[in-house]
Amino acid sequence: MLLLTCPAQLRSLEEALRRSLPTSLPVLGTVMTVARGNPAAHEVLVDSWPNFGVVLTRLRPEEHKDHGDYYTNQMTVYYRDEGAWRVLLGGTEAVGWTRAFQVNGMQDGLYEAVREVANDRGLRLD
């Protein structure tokens, strides 16, 4: 996963996400917040740049005060390719499976993919 911090990249991502409304809305809000000063200490990750398949926003890892609080440990996701989302879930450290978390997104297949990976890891999903 690539961490986007460059203002020009964040603006470009905003434009791409605006073209995918309404499904990109949860991610777009966080990207806009990060691009405008990031008072909430979030980060924006993409699987590749500039031709991304998945955008994931989350609280910066150093800000995780309570690993059991899934309200604090929220992520938003938008993907162009469900397969890329499944690869990110199962094959990267972008999602911290050792702590409670909540995933927000508006696309079909998002929660089913999370459920399948959790089951494969022997984890309980609420």
Side-chain angles (χ1 to χ4, degrees):
M1 295 296 296
L2 303 170
L3 177 63
L4 295 187
T5 58
C6 172
Q9 289 176 328
L10 291 167
R11 278 191 306 275
S12 178
L13 180 58
E14 270 188 56
E15 291 171 17
L17 292 171
R18 285 178 197 277
R19 289 189 295 271
S20 298
L21 286 171
T23 56
S24 65
L25 186 61
V27 170
L28 177 60
T30 306
V31 170
M32 291 173 67
T33 299
V34 170
R36 287 157 180 79
N38 200 15
H42 281 88
E43 60 186 12
V44 177
L45 302 159
V46 293
D47 61 336
S48 61
W49 187 256
N51 298 318
F52 63 90
V54 179
V55 180
L56 176 76
T57 67
R58 65 182 185 189
L59 190 64
R60 282 186 257 171
E62 62 271 13
E63 298 294 327
H64 290 285
K65 307 289 189 241
D66 182 357
H67 291 286
D69 184 357
Y70 58 88
Y71 285 111
T72 301
N73 301 326
Q74 290 187 50
M75 294 177 276
T76 59
V77 176
Y78 169 74
Y79 54 84
R80 292 177 173 168
D81 174 19
E82 187 176 337
W85 169 233
R86 290 176 181 273
V87 167
L88 180 142
L89 282 172
T92 70
E93 296 300 318
V95 175
W97 292 94
T98 60
R99 65 178 179 268
F101 64 87
Q102 185 178 93
V103 178
N104 298 304
M106 297 178 64
Q107 293 173 275
D108 292 335
L110 187 141
Y111 296 105
E112 291 81 3
V114 173
R115 186 179 317 117
E116 287 175 18
V117 173
N119 287 338
D120 290 347
R121 292 173 177 254
L123 300 171
R124 182 178 60 97
L125 186 67
D126 290 333

